[in-house]
Amino acid sequence: QASHPKSVDITAQQMIFKAELDKVETVWDRHAAMQPQCGFGETGLCCRVCWKGPCRIDPLGNGPKVGICGATADVIVARNLLRSFCVGASAHTEHARHIAHTLYELSQNNAPAYSIKDEAKLIDVAKRLKISTEDKEILDIAKEVAEVSMADFGKHHGEFAWLNAVLNPLRKEKLASLGILPHNLDSVVVNGLSRTHVGSESDPMNLLLAAARLAAADVSVMAMGTELSDVLFGTPMPSLTTANLSVLKKDAVNIALHGHNPLLCEIVCDVAATMQEEAKKLGAKEGINIVGVCCTGNEMMMRHGVPLAANYLSQELTMITGAVEAMVVDTQCIMPAVVETASHYHTQVISTMDDNKIFGATHVSFHPESAVEGAKQIVRLALEAYKRRNPDKVDIPNHVQQAMGGFSYEAITAVLKKLDNENPIKPLIDQIAGGNIQGVVLFGGCSNTKVVHDFNYVTMSRELIKRNVLVLATGCAAGALAKSGMQTSQATLDYAGDGLKAVLAALGDAAGTAGPLPPVLNMGSCVDNTRAVRLANDIAMTLGVDLDMLPVCVSAPELMSEKAQIIGTWAAVIGLPVHIGVVPHVTGSSLVTKFLTQDMEEVLGGKFIVELDPIEAANKLYGEIQKRRQKLGI
Ligand code: BF8
Ligand code: SF4
């Protein structure tokens, strides 16, 4: 049982094996039980929009060609897709709204647990939102930034401030010329949903254009989420930490923080630091050990160097170690199954958001106004659970992996400034033009039982790095590449091509790190994808071109969530080739499939590339990079 075909994370392999011994079901068992999966759903051809249905169109041409209302395969597929995107955009919207609202409450002195951790960032954000900062108190600036942000949600006239901050002028013009420039966040989602009501829009192309407009709104709201989080919690800077299930400690009260919203985890970290003695009194010699799961993990790793235990597919495995006292969750990507897994051990699952309860979990209602009390209650529940821990069930893997996180836009430009203070983007452009860096691939997205856990990330990134492609990563992709050792200096020495190796060594010297920078720069959680957009826009604007000219691609080789689906879509809408390693639920419509993988490129410059084989996928992305280098004449 030295290796397990379900994951390439060796600590996960070990815990999958333990789950079998402990007779605990995992996501892989449920995946197996679900086979074969429904072909109508897989091809996007199942419609449940109204109660005359469900209707399904046989992709092989047998049986009805249209639904009971007459909806064609193209309409059904496009409508399902738009609905999914609306959910993904809604998740990002609620995330950002929560943070903007807290910033506002802070400016009114109603959120005592929070403060402005990065004033320079607040001023930078204000400028980009065209808010004057002269002679204003910092809290007044915070109030205006929060108000302008919150106004973006429902704005019906005037400027869409965050859209202006995130899209470059050329791209804005392009989207405007196609009539797909969104005017706000909330009503674009509502509009998208309304168009999918029975008997509403039945022009599949127009549904796809609505999806593109929604995607442009989504990238704007994600930028808001990231940038305001930096204001409240600090802008990430590079730091060394550890990743994979080995970060759990036998002699500590282990608290796993899981979900997405930094509002909760930041305060739990602060409060836990003040309660170390209580844990030690219970016999936990190492006190309280906070670890991260999924994007909450990425947020904490980026800002505070908190160790990352797991990404999406290994979330249950944290508890299989038998050493997790509390699995504290906020929202998104939390498998309902965590409660069942926890029931086999002493783990307390604690939900924290009133609009995101988990059946069977203990609920601690968490609000910014009373954040410290809520966090204390959470830590106390973990301390209580520690008393119930069964040492016979504890088995923590011992393969600690180092990882460097913290590569925000600001962190990267700070390093580049050491090379050229006046024009920091120039050294990067020079290296791209000279060929030491052939191009950039941003890895994002989830893990998915349809792919061997983390395998595509590791395989593709090594293949690209070897060919001097710089890799950026966010979300569960960043988690996979942290756990697999790709965010270390050693990975540069082991895998990078000579050109890239030289650049990363020079950057490492400039940054003052012990060795070269890692070949995979961890940019944070999923919402943080917009950090990469800002960097790409800087390059494009310096060159006087739009993003559709840059040798920059996106890859989501293990994606699954609706959030990841819309992120991929906005990446294509802003002009980038987007690889996905899982077949999307659209193949039942040749029109939709052709638009996403071909026609879209002519109109917007970006498109989807579906390729399940990771080596072949790396080849294809490298090919796209070369095509774009040729267009640029480099
Ligand atoms: O936002 S990558 S599984 S954890 S959806 Fe979820 Fe996908 Fe992970 Fe973060 Ni993003
Ligand atoms: Fe069937 Fe049309 Fe109703 Fe969909 S909307 S379930 S295709 S009748």
Side-chain angles (χ1 to χ4, degrees):
Q1 290 288 342
S3 75
H4 211 289
K6 288 163 185 143
S7 176
V8 295
D9 169 348
I10 49 175
T11 65
Q13 290 170 0
Q14 232 175 298
M15 287 306 105
I16 294 169
F17 182 50
K18 181 169 188 280
E20 284 165 18
L21 291 177
D22 289 0
K23 300 206 168 21
V24 183
E25 198 178 72
T26 66
V27 69
W28 290 278
D29 300 315
R30 295 189 297 273
H31 174 90
M34 196 53 67
Q35 302 311 309
Q37 285 171 271
C38 171
F40 297 107
E42 252 170 5
T43 49
L45 286 171
C46 169
C47 183
R48 293 167 50 254
V49 157
C50 87
W51 287 358
K52 299 197 298 307
C55 299
R56 74 241 183 297
I57 315 284
D58 187 315
L60 303 175
N62 301 319
K65 301 269 182 298
V66 293
I68 295 170
C69 68
T72 61
D74 293 335
V75 170
I76 291 173
V77 169
R79 210 158 51 180
N80 285 341
L81 195 66
L82 180 54
R83 282 192 165 208
S84 283
F85 290 175
C86 284
V87 178
S90 301
H92 289 139
T93 298
E94 289 302 277
H95 178 127
R97 195 193 317 268
H98 212 138
I99 291 172
H101 187 71
T102 304
L103 183 65
Y104 180 79
E105 290 298 321
L106 165 67
S107 75
Q108 302 300 297
N109 295 314
N110 287 336
Y114 300 93
S115 60
I116 307 292
K117 290 268 169 59
D118 192 341
E119 293 189 2
K121 178 88 185 220
L122 176 64
I123 289 165
D124 171 54
V125 167
K127 282 194 183 127
R128 284 190 284 143
L129 297 178
K130 302 200 179 82
I131 296 167
S132 106
T133 56
E134 252 169 70
D135 301 325
K136 285 185 189 159
E137 296 289 329
I138 208 77
L139 279 190
D140 292 331
I141 301 173
K143 175 171 177 273
E144 275 190 63
V145 164
E147 281 175 340
V148 167
S149 300
M150 291 191 296
D152 267 357
F153 290 109
K155 193 168 276 175
H156 283 279
H157 30 252
E159 296 275 294
F160 184 167
W162 277 100
L163 180 101
N164 291 337
V166 77
L167 291 188
N168 73 54
L170 296 175
R171 189 52 29 171
K172 248 187 84 181
E173 256 170 54
K174 160 132 305 187
L175 298 188
S177 73
L178 295 167
I180 55 171
L181 203 58
H183 59 291
N184 74 19
L185 301 165
D186 287 343
S187 73
V188 179
V189 173
V190 174
N191 174 270
L193 288 172
S194 76
R195 290 159 90 145
T196 69
H197 188 270
V198 58
S200 294
E201 186 151 72
S202 60
D203 177 340
M205 260 320 295
N206 218 35
L207 284 162
L208 292 172
L209 289 175
R213 189 172 72 126
L214 176 68
D218 188 63
V219 67
S220 314
V221 77
M222 285 177 63
M224 184 200 298
T226 291
E227 307 281 8
L228 298 188
S229 295
D230 285 354
V231 169
L232 282 173
F233 308 117
T235 304
M237 287 293 149
S239 68
L240 256 188
T241 184
T242 48
N244 78 30
L245 295 166
S246 312
V247 302
L248 293 159
K249 292 183 183 165
K250 188 163 138 287
D251 293 319
V253 172
N254 291 300
I255 301 180
L257 297 175
H258 177 10
H260 284 80
N261 196 326
L263 290 170
L264 167 76
C265 61
E266 286 281 335
I267 308 300
V268 175
C269 282
D270 291 351
V271 164
T274 68
M275 294 171 76
Q276 295 290 356
E277 286 312 311
E278 292 185 43
K280 286 180 189 163
K281 269 189 217 144
L282 296 175
K285 283 183 279 198
E286 296 202 58
I288 298 170
N289 180 36
I290 304 263
V291 303
V293 177
C294 283
C295 282
T296 288
N298 290 323
E299 298 274 353
M300 296 192 296
M301 180 180 178
M302 287 288 283
R303 293 203 178 87
H304 309 297
V306 170
L308 180 86
N311 55 357
Y312 179 74
L313 273 194
S314 47
Q315 60 182 275
E316 297 163 294
L317 303 179
T318 57
M319 295 180 280
I320 308 279
T321 60
V324 172
E325 275 55 58
M327 171 66 102
V328 186
V329 307
D330 50 53
T331 180
Q332 299 163 15
C333 307
I334 299 138
M335 292 186 201
V338 290
V339 174
E340 159 63 20
T341 313
S343 73
H344 293 264
Y345 305 91
H346 67 299
T347 310
Q348 183 93 49
V349 180
I350 304 170
S351 59
T352 56
M353 289 179 63
D354 291 348
D355 57 2
N356 208 90
K357 292 195 177 176
I358 312 273
F359 186 75
T362 302
H363 189 66
V364 174
S365 185
F366 187 86
H367 298 282
E369 312 84 76
S370 55
V372 172
E373 293 81 72
K376 275 193 185 145
Q377 210 184 331
I378 288 167
V379 176
R380 281 213 186 90
L381 283 167
L383 295 174
E384 279 304 308
Y386 181 75
K387 297 180 194 163
R388 301 193 302 270
R389 185 196 283 188
N390 177 354
D392 296 342
K393 285 194 176 179
V394 175
D395 182 9
I396 303 171
N398 187 15
H399 298 279
V400 176
Q401 176 59 59
Q402 292 229 312
M404 187 183 280
F407 289 96
S408 59
Y409 166 86
E410 289 80 355
I412 293 173
T413 43
V415 176
L416 293 170
K417 267 189 187 154
K418 300 213 169 125
L419 302 175
D420 187 339
N421 194 33
E422 293 293 293
N423 191 357
I425 212 69
K426 186 170 175 292
L428 190 57
I429 292 177
D430 288 348
Q431 294 302 325
I432 294 173
N436 273 340
I437 299 178
Q438 288 290 312
V440 179
V441 171
L442 166 65
F443 280 92
C446 325
S447 32
N448 184 328
T449 41
K450 289 180 178 170
V451 179
V452 174
H453 180 218
D454 296 348
F455 177 70
N456 283 355
Y457 294 119
V458 177
T459 312
M460 284 183 72
S461 64
R462 284 186 188 162
E463 196 60 31
L464 288 163
I465 289 159
K466 188 170 80 187
R467 296 188 222 177
N468 299 310
V469 173
L470 178 67
V471 171
L472 310 174
T474 58
C476 289
L481 293 167
K483 292 186 292 157
S484 56
M486 296 305 290
Q487 291 166 15
T488 57
S489 299
Q490 192 59 43
T492 300
L493 301 174
D494 290 348
Y495 302 109
D498 288 341
L500 183 62
K501 207 180 271 176
V503 176
L504 292 169
L507 291 174
D509 275 347
T513 52
L517 287 194
V520 175
L521 301 181
N522 184 336
M523 296 194 98
S525 65
C526 260
V527 284
D528 296 342
N529 277 305
T530 54
R531 298 188 195 279
V533 175
R534 195 171 172 198
L535 197 62
N537 273 334
D538 278 3
I539 299 174
M541 291 298 95
T542 306
L543 296 173
V545 299
D546 196 356
L547 298 178
D548 55 0
M549 291 288 284
L550 295 190
V552 174
C553 301
V554 171
S555 175
E558 304 184 22
L559 91 168
M560 57 98 204
S561 78
E562 288 162 313
K563 285 187 297 164
Q565 295 166 28
I566 186 136
I567 293 172
T569 307
W570 66 241
V573 167
I574 63 174
L576 305 174
V578 179
H579 160 251
I580 54 179
V582 172
V583 181
H585 295 172
V586 302
T587 53
S589 163
S590 50
L591 180 143
V592 174
T593 305
K594 184 161 170 288
F595 177 79
L596 294 176
T597 56
Q598 293 175 35
D599 305 347
M600 188 175 186
E601 189 174 22
E602 276 158 44
V603 204
L604 289 157
K607 64 170 173 191
F608 281 97
I609 299 164
V610 183
E611 176 55 64
L612 273 49
D613 179 84
I615 299 285
E616 204 33 52
N619 289 340
K620 286 184 180 170
L621 290 184
Y622 192 74
E624 291 294 328
I625 285 171
Q626 294 310 321
K627 258 200 270 174
R628 285 170 171 235
R629 290 184 68 92
Q630 264 166 21
K631 269 204 286 181
L632 278 175
I634 56 175

